[in-house]
Amino acid sequence: SQQGEEDPQALSIQEGENATMNCSYKTSINNLQWYRQNSGRGLVHLILIRSNEREKHSGRLRVTLDTSKKSSSLLITASRAADTASYFCATRDDKIIFGKGTRLHILP
Amino acid sequence: DGGITQSPKYLFRKEGQNVTLSCEQNLNHDAMYWYRQDPGQGLRLIYYSQIVNDFQKGDIAEGYSVSREKKESFPLTVTSAQKNPTAFYLCASSIATRQLRTFFGQGTRLTVV
Protein backbone atom coordinates (compact mmCIF):
# COMPACT_ATOMS: atom_id res chain seq x y z
CA SER A 1 0.00 0.00 0.00
CA GLN A 2 1.80 3.09 -1.20
CA GLN A 3 0.85 6.38 0.30
CA GLY A 4 2.64 8.82 -1.97
CA GLU A 5 2.44 8.94 -5.72
CA GLU A 6 4.86 11.16 -7.59
CA ASP A 7 4.13 12.79 -10.89
CA PRO A 8 5.60 12.76 -13.49
CA GLN A 9 7.31 9.38 -13.42
CA ALA A 10 10.16 10.78 -15.51
CA LEU A 11 11.28 14.29 -16.38
CA SER A 12 14.04 15.54 -18.67
CA ILE A 13 14.97 19.23 -18.72
CA GLN A 14 17.83 21.38 -19.86
CA GLU A 15 20.45 22.45 -17.36
CA GLY A 16 19.50 25.78 -15.86
CA GLU A 17 15.76 25.22 -16.13
CA ASN A 18 13.49 24.65 -13.17
CA ALA A 19 12.16 21.18 -12.38
CA THR A 20 8.83 20.60 -10.69
CA MET A 21 7.67 17.30 -9.27
CA ASN A 22 4.38 16.56 -7.61
CA CYS A 23 3.29 14.14 -4.96
CA SER A 24 -0.18 13.07 -3.94
CA TYR A 25 -1.03 11.12 -0.83
CA LYS A 26 -4.09 9.44 0.57
CA THR A 27 -4.46 9.88 4.31
CA SER A 28 -3.90 12.69 6.77
CA ILE A 29 -0.28 13.37 7.62
CA ASN A 30 1.86 15.00 10.28
CA ASN A 31 4.59 15.82 7.82
CA LEU A 32 5.80 15.03 4.33
CA GLN A 33 9.39 14.51 3.34
CA TRP A 34 11.28 14.56 0.06
CA TYR A 35 14.28 12.36 -0.62
CA ARG A 36 16.77 12.05 -3.45
CA GLN A 37 18.35 8.83 -4.67
CA ASN A 38 21.30 8.70 -6.98
CA SER A 39 21.48 5.60 -9.10
CA GLY A 40 22.32 2.52 -7.07
CA ARG A 41 22.68 4.43 -3.82
CA GLY A 42 20.73 5.03 -0.65
CA LEU A 43 18.26 7.83 -0.17
CA VAL A 44 19.25 11.25 1.08
CA HIS A 45 16.82 13.41 3.01
CA LEU A 46 16.21 16.74 1.28
CA ILE A 47 13.50 18.59 3.11
CA LEU A 48 10.57 18.10 5.45
CA ILE A 49 7.39 20.11 5.54
CA ARG A 50 4.96 19.87 8.43
CA SER A 51 1.23 19.66 7.98
CA ASN A 52 0.75 23.20 9.33
CA GLU A 53 3.21 24.66 6.83
CA ARG A 54 2.34 25.66 3.28
CA GLU A 55 5.76 26.37 1.84
CA LYS A 56 9.35 25.76 2.75
CA HIS A 57 12.67 26.66 1.15
CA SER A 58 16.11 25.14 1.36
CA GLY A 59 18.72 26.49 -1.02
CA ARG A 60 17.48 25.80 -4.57
CA LEU A 61 14.62 23.66 -3.25
CA ARG A 62 11.11 24.88 -2.68
CA VAL A 63 8.43 22.60 -1.30
CA THR A 64 4.73 23.36 -1.06
CA LEU A 65 2.03 21.45 0.73
CA ASP A 66 -1.71 21.59 0.18
CA THR A 67 -3.38 19.42 2.79
CA SER A 68 -6.84 20.10 1.37
CA LYS A 69 -5.77 18.50 -1.91
CA LYS A 70 -3.44 16.03 -0.23
CA SER A 71 -0.61 17.06 -2.50
CA SER A 72 2.90 18.47 -2.37
CA SER A 73 5.31 19.80 -4.95
CA LEU A 74 9.08 19.98 -5.08
CA LEU A 75 10.65 22.70 -7.19
CA ILE A 76 14.35 22.63 -8.01
CA THR A 77 15.46 25.95 -9.44
CA ALA A 78 18.38 26.51 -11.80
CA SER A 79 18.93 22.79 -12.28
CA ARG A 80 22.41 21.32 -12.53
CA ALA A 81 23.74 18.07 -13.94
CA ALA A 82 24.28 16.85 -10.38
CA ASP A 83 20.53 17.07 -9.77
CA THR A 84 20.03 14.04 -12.02
CA ALA A 85 18.51 11.48 -9.67
CA SER A 86 15.23 9.96 -8.56
CA TYR A 87 13.12 11.96 -6.15
CA PHE A 88 10.68 10.44 -3.70
CA CYS A 89 8.08 11.86 -1.39
CA ALA A 90 7.38 10.05 1.84
CA THR A 91 4.84 10.25 4.59
CA ARG A 92 4.99 8.51 7.90
CA ASP A 93 3.01 7.21 10.74
CA ASP A 94 4.70 4.30 12.49
CA LYS A 95 6.43 3.48 9.24
CA ILE A 96 7.63 5.50 6.31
CA ILE A 97 5.77 5.03 3.08
CA PHE A 98 7.35 6.07 -0.19
CA GLY A 99 5.94 6.73 -3.62
CA LYS A 100 7.47 5.29 -6.80
CA GLY A 101 9.50 8.41 -7.44
CA THR A 102 10.20 10.82 -10.25
CA ARG A 103 13.31 10.15 -12.33
CA LEU A 104 14.84 13.52 -13.15
CA HIS A 105 17.41 13.82 -15.92
CA ILE A 106 19.23 17.09 -16.48
CA LEU A 107 20.42 17.52 -20.05
CA PRO A 108 23.68 19.40 -20.64
CA ASP B 1 31.66 9.04 11.18
CA GLY B 2 28.10 8.42 12.31
CA GLY B 3 25.78 6.63 9.99
CA ILE B 4 24.31 3.40 8.74
CA THR B 5 26.46 0.70 7.25
CA GLN B 6 25.10 -2.02 5.05
CA SER B 7 27.20 -4.95 4.01
CA PRO B 8 27.99 -6.39 1.64
CA LYS B 9 27.37 -3.96 -1.19
CA TYR B 10 26.89 -6.79 -3.69
CA LEU B 11 25.72 -10.28 -2.83
CA PHE B 12 25.15 -13.32 -4.97
CA ARG B 13 23.07 -16.23 -3.83
CA LYS B 14 22.26 -19.59 -5.29
CA GLU B 15 18.64 -20.55 -5.51
CA GLY B 16 17.44 -22.34 -2.39
CA GLN B 17 19.97 -20.71 -0.07
CA ASN B 18 19.27 -18.36 2.79
CA VAL B 19 21.35 -15.20 2.96
CA THR B 20 21.69 -12.52 5.62
CA LEU B 21 22.16 -8.83 4.91
CA SER B 22 23.84 -6.77 7.57
CA CYS B 23 22.72 -3.34 8.79
CA GLU B 24 24.53 -1.51 11.58
CA GLN B 25 23.97 2.04 12.82
CA ASN B 26 25.89 4.12 15.33
CA LEU B 27 23.38 6.94 15.48
CA ASN B 28 21.70 5.64 18.66
CA HIS B 29 18.43 5.41 16.76
CA ASP B 30 15.57 3.40 18.18
CA ALA B 31 13.77 2.65 14.93
CA MET B 32 15.17 0.68 12.01
CA TYR B 33 13.65 -0.38 8.70
CA TRP B 34 14.27 -2.64 5.74
CA TYR B 35 13.05 -1.75 2.27
CA ARG B 36 13.17 -3.54 -1.03
CA GLN B 37 13.54 -1.63 -4.29
CA ASP B 38 13.06 -3.16 -7.73
CA PRO B 39 14.36 -1.46 -10.90
CA GLY B 40 12.56 1.79 -11.63
CA GLN B 41 10.31 1.30 -8.65
CA GLY B 42 9.76 2.87 -5.28
CA LEU B 43 10.59 1.41 -1.91
CA ARG B 44 8.48 -1.29 -0.33
CA LEU B 45 8.67 -1.92 3.38
CA ILE B 46 9.71 -5.41 4.45
CA TYR B 47 10.08 -5.15 8.22
CA TYR B 48 10.53 -2.41 10.78
CA SER B 49 11.54 -2.28 14.41
CA GLN B 50 10.65 0.41 16.91
CA ILE B 51 12.76 -0.90 19.74
CA VAL B 52 15.14 -3.68 20.66
CA ASN B 53 13.60 -7.17 20.69
CA ASP B 54 10.53 -5.96 18.82
CA PHE B 55 9.71 -5.80 15.12
CA GLN B 56 6.69 -5.68 12.84
CA LYS B 57 5.94 -6.92 9.37
CA GLY B 58 5.75 -4.42 6.57
CA ASP B 59 3.93 -4.79 3.28
CA ILE B 60 6.06 -7.58 1.81
CA ALA B 61 7.41 -9.60 4.75
CA GLU B 62 6.80 -13.05 3.26
CA GLY B 63 10.05 -14.89 2.64
CA TYR B 64 12.06 -12.61 4.92
CA SER B 65 13.01 -12.67 8.59
CA VAL B 66 14.69 -10.18 10.92
CA SER B 67 16.03 -9.91 14.44
CA ARG B 68 16.69 -6.95 16.71
CA GLU B 69 18.85 -8.23 19.54
CA LYS B 70 20.89 -5.06 19.73
CA LYS B 71 19.88 -1.46 19.23
CA GLU B 72 22.53 -0.86 16.61
CA SER B 73 21.91 -3.96 14.50
CA PHE B 74 18.97 -5.10 12.38
CA PRO B 75 19.98 -7.97 10.09
CA LEU B 76 17.66 -9.17 7.34
CA THR B 77 17.58 -12.80 6.24
CA VAL B 78 16.28 -13.56 2.78
CA THR B 79 15.04 -17.12 2.96
CA SER B 80 14.58 -19.70 0.25
CA ALA B 81 10.85 -19.06 0.58
CA GLN B 82 11.28 -15.67 -1.11
CA LYS B 83 10.43 -16.48 -4.71
CA ASN B 84 11.96 -13.43 -6.36
CA PRO B 85 14.73 -12.14 -4.12
CA THR B 86 16.84 -10.34 -6.71
CA ALA B 87 16.54 -6.66 -5.75
CA PHE B 88 18.22 -3.70 -4.10
CA TYR B 89 17.78 -3.72 -0.32
CA LEU B 90 17.92 -0.57 1.75
CA CYS B 91 18.20 -0.26 5.50
CA ALA B 92 17.17 2.90 7.32
CA SER B 93 16.95 4.25 10.83
CA SER B 94 15.39 7.13 12.72
CA ILE B 95 15.31 8.35 16.31
CA ALA B 96 11.79 6.99 16.79
CA THR B 97 9.14 5.81 14.42
CA ARG B 98 7.24 9.09 14.46
CA GLN B 99 10.34 11.19 14.27
CA LEU B 100 11.22 13.37 11.41
CA ARG B 101 14.32 12.55 9.49
CA THR B 102 15.28 9.08 8.36
CA PHE B 103 18.80 8.03 7.46
CA PHE B 104 19.58 5.40 4.85
CA GLY B 105 22.43 3.03 4.24
CA GLN B 106 23.98 2.70 0.79
CA GLY B 107 22.14 -0.50 0.00
CA THR B 108 22.91 -4.12 -0.81
CA ARG B 109 22.26 -5.45 -4.29
CA LEU B 110 21.26 -9.11 -4.06
CA THR B 111 21.35 -11.28 -7.16
CA VAL B 112 20.17 -14.87 -7.30
CA VAL B 113 22.25 -16.95 -9.67
Side-chain angles (χ1 to χ4, degrees):
Chain A
S1 56
Q2 288 186 307
Q3 169 77 305
E5 291 288 339
E6 291 87 350
D7 168 58
Q9 290 187 359
L11 179 62
S12 292
I13 61 172
Q14 294 293 139
E15 191 169 12
E17 294 181 342
N18 296 342
T20 299
M21 290 158 272
N22 302 297
C23 167
S24 59
Y25 57 93
K26 298 176 182 176
T27 64
S28 60
I29 60 171
N30 291 319
N31 64 72
L32 185 142
Q33 303 175 49
W34 284 92
Y35 290 80
R36 184 184 74 201
Q37 183 183 33
N38 290 90
S39 181
R41 307 297 296 273
L43 276 70
V44 175
H45 181 269
L46 292 176
I47 194 166
L48 177 148
I49 186 164
R50 299 176 191 268
S51 60
N52 62 352
E53 297 176 311
R54 292 296 168 259
E55 187 172 311
K56 197 163 184 179
H57 297 253
S58 176
R60 294 185 295 114
L61 305 180
R62 173 178 168 251
V63 169
T64 62
L65 180 65
D66 187 335
T67 53
S68 66
K69 296 181 179 178
K70 291 186 168 58
S71 68
S72 174
S73 67
L74 172 66
L75 168 68
I76 303 174
T77 61
S79 63
R80 305 169 182 170
D83 295 329
T84 294
S86 291
Y87 292 83
F88 296 88
C89 67
T91 59
R92 67 178 307 157
D93 189 353
D94 285 337
K95 52 190 178 183
I96 316 161
I97 302 175
F98 289 86
K100 292 185 178 181
T102 292
R103 294 185 301 280
L104 176 64
H105 184 56
I106 308 300
L107 304 169
Chain B
D1 286 340
I4 302 179
T5 302
Q6 288 186 243
S7 62
K9 188 172 182 178
Y10 299 97
L11 188 57
F12 296 88
R13 188 195 92 174
K14 292 183 179 179
E15 282 194 33
Q17 287 183 338
N18 292 356
V19 64
T20 297
L21 282 60
S22 170
C23 179
E24 303 277 333
Q25 53 97 1
N26 60 5
L27 300 166
N28 201 32
H29 285 172
D30 291 309
M32 296 187 74
Y33 313 83
W34 274 105
Y35 290 88
R36 169 182 172 140
Q37 187 178 33
D38 293 286
Q41 300 296 312
L43 281 68
R44 292 185 290 168
L45 182 65
I46 305 172
Y47 270 97
Y48 64 107
S49 169
Q50 301 180 35
I51 198 169
V52 175
N53 292 322
D54 182 63
F55 48 83
Q56 286 81 40
K57 293 182 179 180
D59 298 320
I60 56 166
E62 185 175 352
Y64 299 98
S65 66
V66 293
S67 63
R68 188 83 188 278
E69 297 176 0
K70 297 186 298 181
K71 187 176 186 178
E72 57 270 21
S73 179
F74 192 39
L76 173 73
T77 296
V78 184
T79 75
S80 57
Q82 170 50 237
K83 299 304 180 188
N84 186 21
T86 295
F88 188 53
Y89 291 87
L90 285 161
C91 180
S93 72
S94 63
I95 295 173
T97 54
R98 292 179 184 269
Q99 276 297 331
L100 305 179
R101 181 173 173 175
T102 303
F103 294 78
F104 281 83
Q106 290 302 300
T108 293
R109 188 167 300 280
L110 173 64
T111 303
V112 174
V113 296

Coordinates of all heavy atoms in Angstrom, one line a residue, chain B residues 58-104:
Chain B
G58 N 6.2 -5.5 7.5 CA 5.8 -4.4 6.6 C 4.8 -5.0 5.5 O 4.1 -5.9 5.8
D59 N 4.9 -4.4 4.3 CA 3.9 -4.8 3.3 C 4.3 -6.1 2.6 O 3.5 -6.7 2.0 CB 3.8 -3.7 2.2 CG 3.3 -2.4 2.9 OD1 2.3 -2.5 3.7 OD2 3.8 -1.3 2.5
I60 N 5.6 -6.4 2.6 CA 6.1 -7.6 1.8 C 7.0 -8.5 2.6 O 8.1 -8.8 2.2 CB 6.8 -7.1 0.5 CG1 7.9 -6.2 0.8 CG2 5.8 -6.5 -0.4 CD1 8.9 -6.0 -0.4
A61 N 6.6 -8.9 3.8 CA 7.4 -9.6 4.7 C 7.6 -11.1 4.4 O 8.5 -11.7 4.9 CB 6.8 -9.5 6.2
E62 N 6.7 -11.6 3.6 CA 6.8 -13.1 3.3 C 8.1 -13.4 2.6 O 8.6 -12.8 1.6 CB 5.7 -13.5 2.3 CG 5.6 -15.0 2.1 CD 4.4 -15.4 1.3 OE1 3.5 -14.5 1.0 OE2 4.3 -16.6 0.9
G63 N 8.8 -14.4 3.2 CA 10.1 -14.9 2.6 C 11.3 -14.2 3.3 O 12.4 -14.5 2.9
Y64 N 11.0 -13.3 4.2 CA 12.1 -12.6 4.9 C 11.9 -12.8 6.4 O 10.8 -13.1 6.9 CB 12.0 -11.1 4.6 CG 12.1 -10.7 3.2 CD1 11.0 -10.5 2.4 CD2 13.4 -10.6 2.6 CE1 11.1 -10.1 1.1 CE2 13.5 -10.2 1.3 CZ 12.3 -10.0 0.5 OH 12.5 -9.6 -0.8
S65 N 13.0 -12.7 7.1 CA 13.0 -12.7 8.6 C 14.0 -11.7 9.1 O 15.0 -11.3 8.4 CB 13.3 -14.1 9.2 OG 14.6 -14.5 8.9
V66 N 13.8 -11.2 10.3 CA 14.7 -10.2 10.9 C 14.9 -10.5 12.4 O 14.1 -11.3 13.0 CB 14.2 -8.7 10.8 CG1 14.1 -8.3 9.3 CG2 12.8 -8.6 11.4
S67 N 15.8 -9.9 13.0 CA 16.0 -9.9 14.4 C 16.5 -8.5 14.9 O 17.1 -7.8 14.1 CB 17.0 -11.0 14.8 OG 18.3 -10.7 14.3
R68 N 16.2 -8.2 16.2 CA 16.7 -7.0 16.7 C 17.2 -7.2 18.1 O 16.6 -6.8 19.1 CB 15.6 -5.9 16.7 CG 16.0 -4.5 17.1 CD 16.6 -3.8 15.9 NE 17.2 -2.5 16.3 CZ 16.6 -1.4 16.5 NH1 15.3 -1.3 16.4 NH2 17.2 -0.3 16.9
E69 N 18.3 -7.9 18.2 CA 18.9 -8.2 19.5 C 19.6 -7.1 20.1 O 19.8 -7.0 21.3 CB 19.7 -9.5 19.4 CG 18.9 -10.7 19.0 CD 19.8 -11.9 18.8 OE1 21.0 -11.8 19.0 OE2 19.2 -13.0 18.4
K70 N 20.1 -6.2 19.3 CA 20.9 -5.1 19.7 C 20.3 -3.8 19.1 O 19.8 -3.9 17.9 CB 22.4 -5.2 19.4 CG 23.1 -6.4 20.0 CD 24.6 -6.4 19.7 CE 24.8 -6.5 18.2 NZ 26.3 -6.5 17.9
K71 N 20.4 -2.7 19.7 CA 19.9 -1.5 19.2 C 20.5 -1.1 17.9 O 19.9 -0.5 17.0 CB 20.1 -0.3 20.2 CG 19.4 1.0 19.9 CD 19.6 2.0 21.0 CE 18.8 3.2 20.8 NZ 19.0 4.2 21.9
E72 N 21.8 -1.3 17.8 CA 22.5 -0.9 16.6 C 22.5 -1.8 15.4 O 23.0 -1.5 14.4 CB 24.0 -0.6 17.0 CG 24.7 -1.8 17.6 CD 24.6 -1.8 19.1 OE1 23.7 -1.2 19.7 OE2 25.4 -2.5 19.7
S73 N 21.9 -3.0 15.6 CA 21.9 -4.0 14.5 C 20.5 -4.5 14.1 O 19.7 -4.8 15.0 CB 22.8 -5.1 14.9 OG 22.9 -6.1 14.0
F74 N 20.3 -4.6 12.8 CA 19.0 -5.1 12.4 C 19.2 -5.9 11.1 O 18.9 -5.5 10.0 CB 18.1 -3.9 12.1 CG 16.6 -4.2 11.9 CD1 15.9 -5.2 12.6 CD2 15.9 -3.5 10.9 CE1 14.6 -5.4 12.4 CE2 14.5 -3.8 10.7 CZ 13.9 -4.8 11.5
P75 N 19.7 -7.2 11.3 CA 20.0 -8.0 10.1 C 18.7 -8.5 9.4 O 17.7 -8.8 10.1 CB 20.8 -9.1 10.7 CG 20.5 -9.2 12.1 CD 20.1 -7.8 12.5
L76 N 18.8 -8.6 8.1 CA 17.7 -9.2 7.3 C 18.1 -10.5 6.7 O 19.1 -10.5 6.0 CB 17.3 -8.2 6.2 CG 16.2 -8.6 5.2 CD1 14.8 -8.7 5.9 CD2 16.2 -7.7 4.0
T77 N 17.3 -11.5 6.9 CA 17.6 -12.8 6.2 C 16.6 -13.0 5.1 O 15.4 -12.9 5.3 CB 17.5 -14.0 7.2 OG1 18.5 -13.8 8.2 CG2 17.7 -15.3 6.5
V78 N 17.1 -13.2 3.9 CA 16.3 -13.6 2.8 C 16.3 -15.1 2.7 O 17.3 -15.7 2.5 CB 16.9 -12.9 1.5 CG1 15.9 -13.2 0.3 CG2 17.1 -11.5 1.7
T79 N 15.1 -15.7 2.9 CA 15.0 -17.1 3.0 C 14.7 -17.7 1.6 O 14.4 -17.0 0.7 CB 14.0 -17.6 4.0 OG1 12.7 -17.4 3.4 CG2 14.1 -16.8 5.3
S80 N 14.9 -19.0 1.5 CA 14.6 -19.7 0.2 C 13.1 -19.6 -0.1 O 12.7 -19.9 -1.2 CB 15.0 -21.2 0.3 OG 14.4 -21.8 1.4
A81 N 12.3 -19.2 0.8 CA 10.8 -19.1 0.6 C 10.5 -17.8 -0.2 O 9.4 -17.7 -0.8 CB 10.1 -19.0 1.9
Q82 N 11.5 -16.9 -0.3 CA 11.3 -15.7 -1.1 C 11.5 -16.0 -2.6 O 12.6 -16.4 -3.0 CB 12.3 -14.6 -0.7 CG 12.3 -13.4 -1.5 CD 10.9 -12.7 -1.9 OE1 10.6 -12.6 -3.0 NE2 10.2 -12.4 -0.8
K83 N 10.4 -16.0 -3.3 CA 10.4 -16.5 -4.7 C 11.2 -15.6 -5.7 O 11.7 -16.1 -6.7 CB 9.0 -16.6 -5.2 CG 8.2 -17.6 -4.4 CD 8.8 -19.0 -4.3 CE 8.0 -19.9 -3.4 NZ 8.8 -21.2 -3.2
N84 N 11.3 -14.3 -5.4 CA 12.0 -13.4 -6.4 C 12.8 -12.5 -5.6 O 12.5 -11.3 -5.5 CB 10.9 -12.7 -7.2 CG 11.6 -11.8 -8.3 OD1 12.7 -12.1 -8.7 ND2 10.9 -10.8 -8.7
P85 N 14.0 -13.0 -5.0 CA 14.7 -12.1 -4.1 C 15.7 -11.1 -4.8 O 16.2 -10.3 -4.1 CB 15.5 -13.2 -3.3 CG 15.7 -14.3 -4.3 CD 14.4 -14.3 -5.1
T86 N 15.9 -11.3 -6.1 CA 16.8 -10.3 -6.7 C 16.3 -8.9 -6.7 O 15.2 -8.6 -7.2 CB 17.1 -10.8 -8.2 OG1 17.7 -12.0 -8.2 CG2 17.9 -9.7 -8.9
A87 N 17.0 -8.0 -6.0 CA 16.5 -6.7 -5.8 C 17.6 -5.9 -5.0 O 18.7 -6.4 -4.7 CB 15.3 -6.6 -4.9
F88 N 17.4 -4.6 -4.9 CA 18.2 -3.7 -4.1 C 17.6 -3.5 -2.7 O 16.4 -3.2 -2.7 CB 18.3 -2.4 -4.9 CG 19.3 -1.4 -4.3 CD1 20.6 -1.8 -4.1 CD2 18.9 -0.1 -4.1 CE1 21.6 -0.9 -3.6 CE2 19.9 0.8 -3.6 CZ 21.2 0.4 -3.4
Y89 N 18.3 -3.8 -1.7 CA 17.8 -3.7 -0.3 C 18.4 -2.5 0.4 O 19.6 -2.4 0.5 CB 18.1 -5.0 0.4 CG 17.3 -6.2 -0.1 CD1 17.8 -6.9 -1.2 CD2 16.0 -6.5 0.4 CE1 17.1 -8.0 -1.7 CE2 15.3 -7.6 -0.2 CZ 15.8 -8.3 -1.2 OH 15.1 -9.4 -1.7
L90 N 17.5 -1.8 1.0 CA 17.9 -0.6 1.7 C 17.5 -0.7 3.2 O 16.4 -1.0 3.5 CB 17.3 0.7 1.1 CG 17.9 1.1 -0.2 CD1 17.0 2.1 -0.9 CD2 19.2 1.8 0.1
C91 N 18.4 -0.3 4.1 CA 18.2 -0.3 5.5 C 18.1 1.2 5.9 O 18.8 2.1 5.3 CB 19.3 -1.0 6.2 SG 19.1 -1.0 8.0
A92 N 17.3 1.5 6.9 CA 17.2 2.9 7.3 C 17.0 2.9 8.8 O 16.6 1.9 9.4 CB 16.0 3.6 6.6
S93 N 17.2 4.1 9.4 CA 16.9 4.3 10.8 C 16.5 5.7 11.1 O 16.7 6.6 10.4 CB 18.2 3.9 11.6 OG 19.2 4.9 11.5
S94 N 15.8 5.8 12.2 CA 15.4 7.1 12.7 C 15.3 7.1 14.2 O 15.3 6.0 14.9 CB 14.0 7.5 12.1 OG 13.0 6.7 12.6
I95 N 15.3 8.3 14.9 CA 15.3 8.4 16.3 C 14.1 7.6 16.9 O 14.3 6.8 17.9 CB 15.3 9.8 16.8 CG1 16.6 10.5 16.3 CG2 15.2 9.9 18.3 CD1 16.6 12.0 16.6
A96 N 13.0 7.7 16.4 CA 11.8 7.0 16.8 C 10.9 6.9 15.6 O 11.0 7.7 14.6 CB 11.1 7.7 18.0
T97 N 9.9 6.0 15.6 CA 9.1 5.8 14.4 C 8.4 7.0 14.0 O 8.1 7.2 12.8 CB 8.1 4.7 14.6 OG1 7.4 4.9 15.8 CG2 8.9 3.3 14.8
R98 N 8.0 7.9 14.9 CA 7.2 9.1 14.5 C 8.1 10.3 14.3 O 7.7 11.4 14.2 CB 6.1 9.4 15.5 CG 5.1 8.3 15.5 CD 4.0 8.6 16.5 NE 3.0 7.5 16.5 CZ 1.9 7.4 15.8 NH1 1.6 8.4 15.0 NH2 1.1 6.4 15.8
Q99 N 9.4 10.1 14.4 CA 10.3 11.2 14.3 C 10.5 11.6 12.8 O 10.0 11.0 11.9 CB 11.7 10.8 14.9 CG 11.7 11.0 16.4 CD 11.5 12.5 16.7 OE1 11.9 13.4 16.0 NE2 10.9 12.7 17.9
L100 N 11.3 12.6 12.6 CA 11.2 13.4 11.4 C 12.1 12.8 10.3 O 11.7 12.3 9.3 CB 11.6 14.8 11.7 CG 10.7 15.5 12.8 CD1 11.1 16.9 13.0 CD2 9.2 15.4 12.3
R101 N 13.4 12.9 10.6 CA 14.3 12.6 9.5 C 14.8 11.1 9.6 O 15.0 10.6 10.7 CB 15.5 13.5 9.6 CG 16.5 13.3 8.5 CD 17.6 14.3 8.6 NE 18.7 14.0 7.6 CZ 19.7 14.8 7.4 NH1 19.8 15.9 8.0 NH2 20.6 14.4 6.5
T102 N 14.9 10.5 8.4 CA 15.3 9.1 8.4 C 16.6 9.0 7.6 O 16.8 9.7 6.6 CB 14.2 8.2 7.6 OG1 13.0 8.4 8.4 CG2 14.6 6.8 7.6
F103 N 17.5 8.2 8.1 CA 18.8 8.0 7.5 C 18.9 6.7 6.8 O 18.4 5.7 7.3 CB 19.9 8.1 8.5 CG 20.0 9.5 9.1 CD1 19.1 9.9 10.1 CD2 21.0 10.4 8.7 CE1 19.1 11.2 10.7 CE2 21.1 11.7 9.3 CZ 20.1 12.0 10.3
F104 N 19.5 6.6 5.6 CA 19.6 5.4 4.8 C 21.0 4.9 4.7 O 22.0 5.7 4.6 CB 19.0 5.6 3.4 CG 17.5 5.6 3.4 CD1 16.8 6.7 3.7 CD2 16.8 4.4 3.1 CE1 15.4 6.7 3.7 CE2 15.4 4.4 3.0 CZ 14.7 5.5 3.4

